[in-house]
Amino acid sequence: QGRLVESGGGLVQAGGSLRLSCAASGRAFSDYAMSWFRQAPGNEREFVAVISWQGFSKYYADSVKGRFTISRDNNKNTMYLQMNRLRPEDTAVYYCAADTRFNSWPATRVEEFDFWGQGTQVTVSS
């Protein structure tokens, strides 16, 4: 069936960096676009970034453009999110997700992704 597991979250000061990983197991996700979303307390889950199946195309939310970089290594079945110049407003639970239904590019809505990880907490202190 497949599983996605995020890691790499933690507590960091504003201006710092973190690298999140999303490891896939149980099936290959290399054929699918994959994404990062985040959800802060009291807020809806929001799109962060998406990467095409080969990694050639990437699309970012305006709020993270220029600070975050999405990448993937299909040989390792792993996707990454490098987060630089972190801000307190980046504090959230970060989720990775896969679009196994080949929605139009770029998929940015929650309902376009059908496989989700359990999330990893990122906290940025001011």
Side-chain angles (χ1 to χ4, degrees), residues 14-98:
S17 298
L18 281 175
R19 189 194 196 203
L20 304 183
S21 298
C22 172
S25 62
R27 65 181 282 183
F29 286 88
S30 54
D31 291 338
Y32 310 121
M34 296 188 68
S35 66
W36 289 97
F37 283 75
R38 66 187 181 186
Q39 188 167 18
N43 290 358
E44 293 186 351
R45 194 166 297 190
E46 66 172 3
F47 168 77
V48 174
V50 61
I51 188 167
S52 62
W53 70 278
Q54 287 182 308
F56 294 155
S57 296
K58 305 173 185 181
Y59 185 79
Y60 298 92
D62 287 344
S63 58
V64 306
K65 202 173 296 182
R67 299 188 298 122
F68 291 10
T69 302
I70 190 171
S71 62
R72 68 192 297 168
D73 184 340
N74 286 339
N75 291 325
K76 296 182 179 179
N77 264 336
T78 303
M79 179 181 65
Y80 306 97
L81 186 68
Q82 178 66 44
M83 305 186 295
N84 298 329
R85 290 183 283 142
L86 282 160
R87 305 167 179 168
E89 53 264 39
D90 294 319
T91 295
V93 176
Y94 283 70
Y95 299 89
C96 65

